[in-house]
Amino acid sequence: MSKPNILLITSDQQHWNTIGAYNKEVHTPNLDRLVREGTTFSRAYCPNPTCTPSRASIITGMYPSQHGAWTLGTKLLEDRHTVGEDFQAAGYRTALVGKAHFQPLRSTDEYVSVEAYPILQDLDFWKTFHGPFYGFDHVEIARNHTNEAHVGQHYALWMEEKGCTNWRDYFLPPTGTMDASLTYKWPIPEKYHYNTWIAERTNALLSDYKEAGEPFFMWASFFDPHPEYLAPEPWDSMYDPDALTIPEMVPGEHDLNPPHFGKTQEDHPDFSDLAETGYGIHGYRSHHYYEYGTKFRLTDDDKKKLVAVYYGMISMMDKYIGKILDKLDELGLSENTIIVFTTDHGHFYGQHGLQAKGGFHYEDLIKLPFIVKYPGHVPAGHTSEAIQSLVDLAPTFLSFCGIPIPRSMTGMDQRDVWTGRKQQARDHAICEFRHEPTTIHQKTYVDERYKITVYYNRTYGEIFDLLEDPGELRNLWDDPDSAALKSELLLKYAWAELGKEPLPMPRIHHA
C-alpha cells in the first residue's frame, strides 16, 4: 500500500460537547459522519487553552514550556523543529490553509512576524508568498476571526479574485467600515465567507496532489466558532435561542476556588495585581459583559442568542468540512487518508458563569472534540476513553507513516491506541497556562479520575474529582479529608513534569 496521507481538520475554540452525535441540540451531519466512520476519543486535552501555544504544540509535538511560544503575543521561533520538515524529508507535500497564528500581530527587529501589521495587509506581498512556513511548503493563511480588522493575507486576495471588491464593508475599522455595534448577524455573503475559502482552496490542493500522485500532510484550519459571535444568513438564525440549554453558574461554586474565579462575577473587578507585561490578559475581567467588537452587559436573552449563534457557526463550518470529505471521496483518497478532526482548545458560554477563555482549567476549556478516521485501521463507530493530547498528533502521524519520530518531540505515539491494539499510551495529560511571566502561571495534571491545578508561587489551587463531581463544583484543595489525595496528586504531577522532559540524544557510552 502507498504511504498514507494525513488530513488534519481543526476548528478554533470549540467546546467538546458540540457535535450532534452526542448533543442533539447541535446539527453537525458531517462531523456525525466522521463519528460513524471513525473513533471518537472522549478524553482529549489541549496543552494550553489559547491559540498560539496549542497550535505550535500541534506542529512541534512539544509542550509550550518546551517549544517557547508560551502565550498569545509570542511567536514560535523559526529554529524549532516541526513535523512538516519530517514529512517533506519523506517525500510528502505539506500545506496549511486557514488559520496559522504561530506569530503575533506585532513585529520587532528581533522577533519578526509576517502575521503582523503592516505586512498582514500588504496584498502584493501575499500574492507571491506561499511558504516555506514552519515546515509547510505551501500556505494560504489569514488572521481574523469573523469581522476583525486583522483581515488580509491570502483570504483578502481570494475575496478580490472572487469579485468581492467591497470586502472591507464586512470588517471592522480601521481596515473596514462595518459598524462595530452590530452583532450576531454578519452581512457578508456566504460565498465570500472564510469557510468557503478554506474548503475551496483545500480541495484544490487535494486535487493537485491526487493528479501528481504525491502523498500529503494537509491542515485545513477553520476560524470558527471563535467569537465574535457572527454568522451570515441563514446560520445566524438557524437555532431558536429559547429551545437551547443555556449553561449557568451554580451559586457558591467559586467560594473555595482561587480568587480570580470569584472576581469574574463582579461588575468591576480589579486584576491589577496580575498585570505584568502591560498587555491584555484574557479572561481576567467581569464575565457579566460581552467584550468583542463592542461591550455590553449580557442579559438572559443575550446569553441565549450567543449560544444560538455559536451553534450556527459550528453548523456552517460543518457544511464546509463536508465539502472537504466529499472531495476526498470523489478523488478516491478516503481509504488511504488518516483524518483527524479536533480543535485548539475549548470554550465557555456560560459554564461556571464564564465566557470565552482564561485561566480556568475546567473541562469546558481544556477538553476537546477529537475524532480519528482511517478505514481498515481505526475502528469505525467506536468511542474510547484513552487520554489524548494535541502534543501527541505529530509523533502519531509520523508513526503511521513509518517516519522516525524526532527525539525533540515529547508527545506520545498513539498509533496502537488509535488502531485499538492498546488501551492507552498515557495515563494523564498536562495543560499549561502561562499568560504572564510570573503572575499568571499555572499547570494542570488530569488523570482518569482526578484533576489538580497548581499555581506558581501561590498556596491556592484546585482539585476536582471528575468521577464524583463531573461538574467541577467542589474544589477539594483545602478539604481536610482530601489531604492524602492532595499529596498523592502533587507527587503524580511532579512525576509527570519529570517524565515530559525531552532527551535530545540517547546515552551512548558509560562516560
Side-chain angles (χ1 to χ4, degrees):
M1 179 181 287
S2 60
K3 298 177 182 178
N5 305 304
I6 305 290
L7 175 60
L8 173 63
I9 304 174
T10 59
S11 59
D12 189 352
Q13 200 163 313
Q14 183 175 354
H15 190 278
W16 65 268
N17 192 28
T18 53
I19 295 177
Y22 304 103
N23 180 352
K24 298 306 179 185
E25 293 187 3
V26 188
H27 183 67
T28 57
N30 294 293
L31 293 179
D32 295 355
R33 169 182 164 189
L34 284 181
V35 169
R36 292 192 304 271
E37 297 174 349
T39 293
T40 300
F41 290 92
S42 60
R43 296 294 305 282
Y45 291 90
C46 66
N48 185 293
T50 53
C51 299
T52 297
S54 260
R55 289 169 177 273
S57 289
I58 288 173
I59 60 172
T60 61
M62 302 176 73
Y63 290 85
S65 56
Q66 297 166 340
H67 60 58
W70 54 278
T71 192
L72 299 171
T74 68
K75 68 177 289 187
L76 180 64
L77 298 178
E78 285 84 355
D79 63 355
R80 300 305 191 254
H81 183 82
T82 65
V83 69
E85 298 171 47
D86 301 308
F87 277 112
Q88 286 180 342
Y92 277 68
R93 296 294 303 277
T94 60
L96 166 63
V97 177
K99 178 173 178 174
H101 204 169
F102 304 136
Q103 299 183 351
L105 285 167
R106 181 189 174 201
S107 186
T108 68
D109 292 340
E110 185 176 5
Y111 301 105
V112 177
S113 172
V114 297
E115 296 192 64
Y117 290 96
I119 199 171
L120 178 77
Q121 295 172 335
D122 181 354
L123 299 191
D124 287 335
F125 171 83
W126 296 102
K127 286 177 183 177
T128 58
F129 180 81
H130 290 281
F133 194 60
Y134 292 104
F136 296 103
D137 58 61
H138 184 91
V139 295
E140 298 183 36
I141 59 177
R143 188 52 195 274
N144 59 291
H145 306 100
T146 60
N147 67 341
E148 286 180 339
H150 312 319
V151 62
Q153 299 168 289
H154 297 108
Y155 175 43
L157 283 173
W158 175 84
M159 285 189 286
E160 291 190 350
E161 291 167 1
K162 291 295 179 181
C164 186
T165 56
N166 68 322
W167 58 268
R168 294 178 185 273
D169 293 348
Y170 308 120
F171 300 92
L172 294 176
T175 302
T177 59
M178 185 174 166
D179 183 350
S181 68
L182 299 177
T183 191
Y184 304 134
K185 183 188 295 292
W186 193 9
I188 191 170
E190 184 174 334
K191 63 181 179 179
Y192 300 133
H193 192 278
Y194 44 58
N195 286 345
T196 309
W197 165 62
I198 292 169
E200 179 182 297
R201 294 307 306 148
T202 297
N203 287 348
L205 290 168
L206 292 175
S207 297
D208 290 345
Y209 300 151
K210 169 66 174 181
E211 183 176 352
E214 297 172 308
F216 57 84
F217 167 58
M218 163 76 77
W219 185 356
S221 181
F222 287 86
F223 298 84
D224 285 354
H226 187 295
E228 181 168 354
Y229 301 99
L230 283 170
E233 295 178 336
W235 307 98
D236 65 303
S237 58
M238 176 178 179
Y239 293 92
D240 177 1
D242 292 321
L244 300 177
T245 302
I246 310 300
E248 295 180 340
M249 186 183 76
V250 174
E253 68 168 284
H254 293 314
D255 291 352
L256 299 177
N257 285 342
H260 61 284
F261 286 78
K263 283 185 177 182
T264 64
Q265 304 308 304
E266 300 173 8
D267 275 354
H268 304 287
D270 181 6
F271 288 106
S272 59
D273 59 315
L274 300 180
E276 190 172 8
T277 62
Y279 299 109
I281 46 179
H282 287 71
Y284 295 80
R285 59 178 179 82
S286 172
H287 284 237
H288 293 167
Y289 291 86
Y290 181 97
E291 290 190 355
Y292 278 93
T294 188
K295 178 178 179 178
F296 56 86
R297 188 177 182 88
L298 287 165
T299 65
D300 288 343
D301 285 343
D302 289 321
K303 293 175 183 178
K304 294 177 183 179
K305 184 61 178 177
L306 68 83
V307 176
V309 176
Y310 185 75
Y311 286 180
M313 295 167 75
I314 292 170
S315 292
M316 181 184 179
M317 177 181 63
D318 179 85
K319 171 184 173 178
Y320 289 90
I321 290 173
K323 290 183 179 295
I324 296 172
L325 300 180
D326 290 345
K327 177 57 71 170
L328 282 174
D329 289 344
E330 176 190 321
L331 295 171
L333 294 171
S334 295
E335 293 301 306
N336 196 40
T337 298
I338 300 168
I339 301 174
V340 173
F341 171 78
T342 187
T343 193
D344 53 0
H345 56 81
H347 180 65
F348 296 114
Y349 49 96
Q351 297 91 342
H352 308 284
L354 301 171
Q355 298 290 335
K357 58 193 173 192
F360 321 98
H361 283 186
Y362 291 115
E363 298 288 273
D364 305 284
L365 188 60
I366 69 173
K367 196 164 82 165
L368 316 170
F370 196 98
I371 312 168
V372 180
K373 175 189 173 184
Y374 187 18
H377 300 270
V378 173
H382 182 63
T383 300
S384 170
E385 293 184 355
I387 294 175
Q388 307 287 311
S389 173
L390 294 182
V391 297
D392 301 337
L393 287 176
T396 304
F397 288 155
L398 294 174
S399 179
F400 268 103
C401 298
I403 302 171
I405 298 170
R407 298 185 65 84
S408 63
M409 292 185 179
T410 52
M412 305 296 292
D413 177 2
Q414 296 273 3
R415 179 182 180 181
D416 287 344
V417 179
W418 290 9
T419 58
R421 291 194 291 267
K422 284 179 58 177
Q423 277 199 315
Q424 64 178 27
R426 57 165 67 245
D427 61 7
H428 69 274
I430 292 284
C431 182
E432 307 176 341
F433 185 67
R434 190 172 190 175
H435 204 31
E436 292 279 43
T438 64
T439 58
I440 303 178
H441 186 189
Q442 67 198 68
K443 292 188 182 182
T444 292
Y445 166 96
V446 57
D447 63 19
E448 181 180 354
R449 177 171 179 174
Y450 295 104
K451 173 190 289 183
I452 184 169
T453 301
V454 296
Y455 295 80
Y456 179 61
N457 284 343
R458 306 287 182 175
T459 57
Y460 54 66
E462 299 132 51
I463 294 175
F464 291 108
D465 183 339
L466 299 177
L467 178 63
E468 297 294 330
D469 179 26
E472 300 174 272
L473 301 176
R474 299 188 301 275
N475 182 8
L476 303 176
W477 181 268
D478 289 321
D479 175 29
D481 294 336
S482 301
L485 172 65
K486 181 178 179 179
S487 296
E488 178 185 350
L489 291 176
L490 285 171
L491 186 57
K492 286 184 174 180
Y493 163 69
W495 290 342
E497 280 294 325
L498 292 170
K500 72 180 178 67
E501 292 180 1
L503 290 173
M505 64 169 286
R507 189 177 184 193
I508 59 175
H509 200 51
H510 72 279

